[in-house]
Amino acid sequence: MDASSSSFLSANQTSKFLTGSMAMAIPKSAVTATPSFLSRRRPPPLNVSSARIEEKTQNSTTRSPPTSRTSRPGSTTTTLPAATNSSTQSTRKYPANDRRVAEPNLQPIMIFNVLEDVINNFIDPPLRPSVDPRYVLSDNFAPVDELPPTECEVIHGSLPSCLDGAYIRNGPNPQFLPRGPYHLFDGDGMLHSVRISQGRATLCSRYIKTYKYTLERDAGAPLLPNVFSGFNGLAASAARGALSAFRILAGQFNPANGIGLANTSLAYFGNQLYALGESDLPYAVRLTSNGDIETLGRRDFDGKLLMSMTAHPKIDLETGETFAFRSGPVPPFLTYFRFDGNGNKQPDVPIFSMTRPSFLHDFGISSKYAIFADIQIGMNPMQMIFGGGSPVGSDPAKVPRLGIIPRYAKDESEMKWFDVPGFNLIHAINAWDEEDAIVMLAPNILSVEHTLERMDLIHALVEKVRIDLRTGIVTRNPVSARNLDFGVINPAYLGKKNRFVYAAIGDPMPKISGVVKLDVSGGERRECTVASRIYGPRCFGGEPFFVAREPENPEAEEDDGYVVSYVHDEMAGESKFLVMDAKSPVLDIVAAVKLPRRVPYGFHGLFVKESDLKKL
C-alpha cells in the first residue's frame, strides 16, 4: 500500500482488516471480545474532520497533497474553496469539463461539521474495529484516486480475442477520510475498467458521479451520514438523524435526489449499462472509445421505477428480459417487477405476504418462477435501542423460508412460501425447473449473526436446494465444504440447469485467496470441486466472472471460456488482471496484465463485449 494513500493509517501500519464482507450482507451484533490478531494495544483515537485520500501512481505527474484533487494533465481547472474541518479550508481543483453545482455557502457547512465532530468524538466514536476506519481501510481496502485511461502491460501470455470489450468491477472507495464510524459498505462507488482491444489493455478508474458524490465533492466535506455505520444505538441515530434534518432544512442536500452510493454491481440491459446499489435508483454509465468511464445520470425509467432497485437483477439472454425487485422497511416489504427486452419497466407486483422487513439482497429466476428468500436478517429496533447496535440485525427465532411466484405474475395470488430452517441466502447463483420442482444453487450463511459485525467468522456453504411444488418437501445437499461465495455461472445458463459454478474462496471473507470450479451435476452429497487455483501467499482476488469463448455458438460447451478477476499482491503492492482457462483442471493462467496501480478489493463486476459497448 502506497504511503501517500495510507498516511492516515500510520499509527497502525501493521493492523489487519478485521471484518470480512459477503458483499452486501447486514446485521450488526455487538463485538464482546477483540479478535486475537487485534489484541495488541489499540492506536490512539482517530480525531479528524475531513480529508481527501489520494495516492501516487506509476508513471504519472506529481500529485497535490492529500487534501486536494489534481486535474488531468493539460486540462483547464477552476478552484473551489472546500471546508476540510470546522476551522480550516483547503483548495480543490476540478477539470473544467467536470460539472459542478454552485459554490456552497461555507458557513453552515462549517457549523454542521462542528456538530458532526461532536457526534463522532463523544456520542458515537468508532470504538468497534468493524467500524474503525483504521482497520476497515487498511491494506488494499484503502481507497485510491481516480485514474484516467492508462495503458497496461501484458506480462504473461496473450489476451484472447473473445475478451475484446471491457471487464468492469464496482466497489466502495470513500471520497473522503471518514470522520467517524465507517463500514466497508459505506464507500462511494468506483468503477475499475480494463478495456481490451486486439490484445492490448487499458485501465481506468472513475467514481460514479452520484448525487451524493457530486454534492460532497463540491462542498469539500461529507454531508450525508453513513447508512451501515452511522445509526448504531438510539443516541447515535437520534443525533445523526437530527443533523441530517438540519442539513436538509439548510438546503445542503435534497434526499429526493437520492442518497445511494451505486457501489455494489453493474448490469447491462436495454442497451444501457447501469451502476447499481440497492439503496437508490440505477445510474447509467458508459465507456468512451479510449476507455474512459462517464456517468450519464440517475434513471427512473420514465417515472416508473420508485425509490430503489436490487443490485442483482437477472438478465435472460434469450428473451432479453430483466427481472428485479426492491425491498424496504415499510409495506410492501417486497416488490417484484421486470423490464422487457427494450429496457421498458413493467408494472410492479407488490408482495404483501412478506409480513415483516427482511434483508433481501439477491434472488433466483427460472424459466417459470422467481424465488425469494425471507431470511433471519431484518429490522431489529430493539437491538438498536437497548444494545447499541444497528437497526438491522439477526433474529435467531425466525424460521427462514423461500417464496415462489410465477415469473410473469401480475399479482401475488400464486405466491407460495416454504419453510427452510437454517437456510440464509445472501447471494443466489442460479435456479432452474425440474418437472414439478424448482432447484436453486446458493451459498448458505452458517453464522448469520456475524454477517456484518464479524464477517471474518462467517462460513458460506454452497447448497443445492430442491423444492417439490406438489408435496412441499424441501431437500438440501451441500456441494462443497469450503467457504465459498460470489458464485457465478456461464451467463447463457441463467434460469437453466447448469453444470459448472465458479466461486471465490474466502480466507476469510472478504479476502479471496483463490477460485474453485464446481461440477454440480450430481445429486448426492459430495465434494463437487473439480478445479481450483490459489493465487499465492498474500495474494487476494475478488469475484470471478466467466466469459464464453464463443458466446454466439449454441453448440459450445458450457465451460468453454475464461474466468477473469483482479488479483492484488499485498507483499509487492501490485495488482494484476488474470485470465484463466475455465476448462483446465488447475484453471491455467492464459494471460496476466500488470496494472499501472493497485485496484482495491471490491464487490461485483461483469464483462461487456465490444459490440455492446458501441451501443452505449
Side-chain angles (χ1 to χ4, degrees):
M1 182 167 54
D2 294 341
S4 59
S5 68
S6 59
S7 58
F8 71 97
L9 299 172
S10 59
N12 187 32
Q13 286 295 327
T14 59
S15 69
K16 301 297 180 183
F17 180 69
L18 167 67
T19 60
S21 120
M22 284 289 310
M24 294 311 292
I26 292 189
K28 265 195 181 181
S29 53
V31 174
T32 57
T34 303
S36 59
F37 62 94
L38 295 178
S39 59
R40 61 186 177 278
R41 182 176 62 86
R42 291 174 57 83
L46 180 68
N47 186 2
V48 297
S49 178
S50 176
R52 182 67 176 89
I53 306 167
E54 309 235 351
E55 71 169 326
K56 295 180 181 179
T57 59
Q58 300 177 7
N59 301 323
S60 64
T61 57
T62 302
R63 296 187 179 272
S64 302
T67 52
S68 66
R69 176 183 298 276
T70 304
S71 64
R72 292 166 58 182
S75 63
T76 305
T77 62
T78 56
T79 302
L80 177 69
T84 60
N85 56 41
S86 56
S87 60
T88 61
Q89 299 179 10
S90 67
T91 301
R92 298 168 56 100
K93 295 182 179 181
Y94 303 100
N97 62 354
D98 200 0
R99 296 181 182 178
R100 298 188 291 110
V101 298
E103 287 192 8
N105 184 343
L106 294 180
Q107 185 172 3
I109 293 178
M110 294 169 64
I111 294 173
F112 291 138
N113 285 351
V114 171
L115 295 177
E116 185 169 349
D117 289 340
V118 172
I119 298 173
N120 292 333
N121 289 305
F122 299 102
I123 298 177
D124 184 35
L127 299 178
R128 302 190 314 279
S130 60
V131 293
D132 186 337
R134 292 167 299 179
Y135 291 115
V136 179
L137 296 177
S138 63
D139 296 328
N140 194 42
F141 292 96
V144 296
D145 193 23
E146 290 190 318
L147 179 76
T150 305
E151 190 169 350
C152 309
E153 178 187 1
V154 180
I155 59 174
H156 173 79
S158 59
L159 293 166
S161 60
C162 65
L163 290 182
D164 279 6
Y167 171 71
I168 317 166
R169 203 219 59 210
N170 204 343
N173 195 85
Q175 180 180 189
F176 296 97
L177 172 63
R179 300 171 57 169
Y182 174 85
H183 190 276
L184 177 64
F185 304 159
D186 286 324
D188 298 283
M190 177 176 273
L191 300 180
H192 305 275
S193 169
V194 169
R195 180 72 183 265
I196 300 172
S197 178
Q198 298 179 345
R200 302 179 67 178
T202 300
L203 176 70
C204 180
S205 300
R206 294 290 189 192
Y207 279 107
I208 302 154
K209 306 305 190 293
T210 63
Y211 172 71
K212 175 184 182 296
Y213 170 85
T214 54
L215 197 70
E216 295 180 339
R217 178 201 64 191
D218 295 325
L223 299 177
L224 279 68
N226 290 329
V227 174
F228 283 93
S229 60
F231 298 93
N232 295 322
L234 185 60
S237 300
R240 291 197 174 93
L243 180 58
S244 296
F246 291 147
R247 289 189 188 275
I248 293 171
L249 293 174
Q252 288 192 0
F253 74 89
N254 181 359
N257 293 328
I259 61 172
L261 304 163
N263 68 1
T264 308
S265 66
L266 299 107
Y268 178 87
F269 62 91
N271 294 330
Q272 294 289 322
L273 180 62
Y274 299 100
L276 304 173
E278 55 205 21
S279 61
D280 204 346
L281 299 177
Y283 275 83
V285 297
R286 67 180 289 266
L287 267 68
T288 64
S289 58
N290 70 339
D292 210 342
I293 305 169
E294 294 180 349
T295 302
L296 303 180
R298 188 169 178 254
R299 298 291 186 255
D300 64 2
F301 297 85
D302 298 324
K304 297 178 182 178
L305 182 59
L306 303 176
M307 297 172 61
S308 63
M309 185 178 105
T310 176
H312 289 287
K314 306 300 180 184
I315 294 92
D316 187 323
L317 296 183
E318 284 191 355
T319 66
E321 296 169 302
T322 299
F323 301 84
F325 69 92
R326 71 172 174 271
S327 60
V330 296
F333 302 118
L334 170 63
T335 301
Y336 171 57
F337 53 88
R338 64 185 176 92
F339 302 84
D340 65 22
N342 295 318
N344 300 310
K345 184 183 176 297
Q346 304 305 298
D348 285 346
V349 180
I351 310 296
F352 290 99
S353 55
M354 179 169 280
T355 56
R356 56 190 288 194
S358 179
F359 177 62
L360 276 165
H361 178 64
D362 202 351
F363 75 123
I365 198 83
S366 73
S367 60
K368 297 179 181 179
Y369 299 97
I371 305 98
F372 295 95
D374 185 8
I375 65 175
Q376 291 176 299
I377 306 175
M379 301 298 293
N380 193 349
M382 294 300 102
Q383 170 71 17
M384 180 190 73
I385 295 173
F386 299 109
S390 168
V392 178
S394 62
D395 180 1
K398 180 180 179 180
V399 177
R401 56 181 186 159
L402 292 176
I404 312 298
I405 189 171
R407 176 166 157 152
Y408 296 106
K410 297 185 182 300
D411 56 53
E412 69 163 328
S413 59
E414 296 182 69
M415 186 83 175
K416 296 181 180 179
W417 291 96
F418 301 85
D419 288 346
V420 191
F423 186 70
N424 287 287
L425 176 159
I426 299 294
H427 290 120
I429 298 174
N430 197 24
W432 63 83
D433 303 305
E434 287 185 355
E435 297 180 354
D436 293 322
I438 297 174
V439 177
M440 170 178 270
L441 287 169
N444 177 26
I445 309 303
L446 298 184
S447 302
V448 68
E449 68 274 14
H450 299 308
T451 309
L452 195 65
E453 188 73 32
R454 284 297 308 275
M455 287 169 285
D456 56 310
L457 299 181
I458 285 176
H459 189 94
L461 189 71
V462 177
E463 296 187 20
K464 182 189 288 187
V465 182
R466 187 179 190 274
I467 304 172
D468 191 312
L469 298 179
R470 292 176 301 176
T471 65
I473 295 175
V474 179
T475 57
R476 297 160 54 189
N477 287 319
V479 299
S480 176
R482 292 177 113 157
N483 185 16
L484 304 176
D485 196 14
F486 299 99
V488 299
I489 62 171
N490 182 330
Y493 284 77
L494 178 82
K496 305 175 185 176
K497 185 174 183 178
N498 66 284
R499 179 179 177 183
F500 299 111
V501 172
Y502 308 90
I505 304 171
D507 191 29
M509 292 295 180
K511 287 194 173 181
I512 307 300
S513 62
V515 60
V516 300
K517 177 183 180 181
L518 305 175
D519 182 345
V520 299
S521 58
E524 68 280 3
R525 290 172 176 254
R526 62 181 179 87
E527 176 61 53
C528 297
T529 300
V530 294
S532 66
R533 170 161 291 277
I534 302 299
Y535 297 131
R538 291 194 63 189
C539 292
F540 301 99
E543 176 191 59
F545 194 86
F546 179 89
V547 181
R549 188 171 63 87
E550 297 179 287
E552 310 300 330
N553 180 8
E555 304 300 323
E557 294 182 284
E558 180 185 338
D559 62 345
D560 186 9
Y562 303 95
V563 177
V564 301
S565 181
Y566 290 129
V567 175
H568 182 71
D569 184 334
E570 292 188 348
M571 290 188 291
E574 295 179 349
S575 295
K576 297 182 179 68
F577 173 68
L578 294 188
V579 181
M580 295 163 274
D581 182 358
K583 292 180 72 69
S584 165
V586 292
L587 300 178
D588 283 327
I589 297 176
V590 299
V593 178
K594 181 180 179 180
L595 303 179
R597 69 103 181 266
R598 68 181 179 87
V599 172
Y601 304 129
F603 296 149
H604 305 282
L606 85 168
F607 174 79
V608 183
K609 59 185 179 181
E610 183 66 30
S611 59
D612 287 336
L613 289 177
K614 293 179 179 178
K615 299 174 184 177
L616 298 177

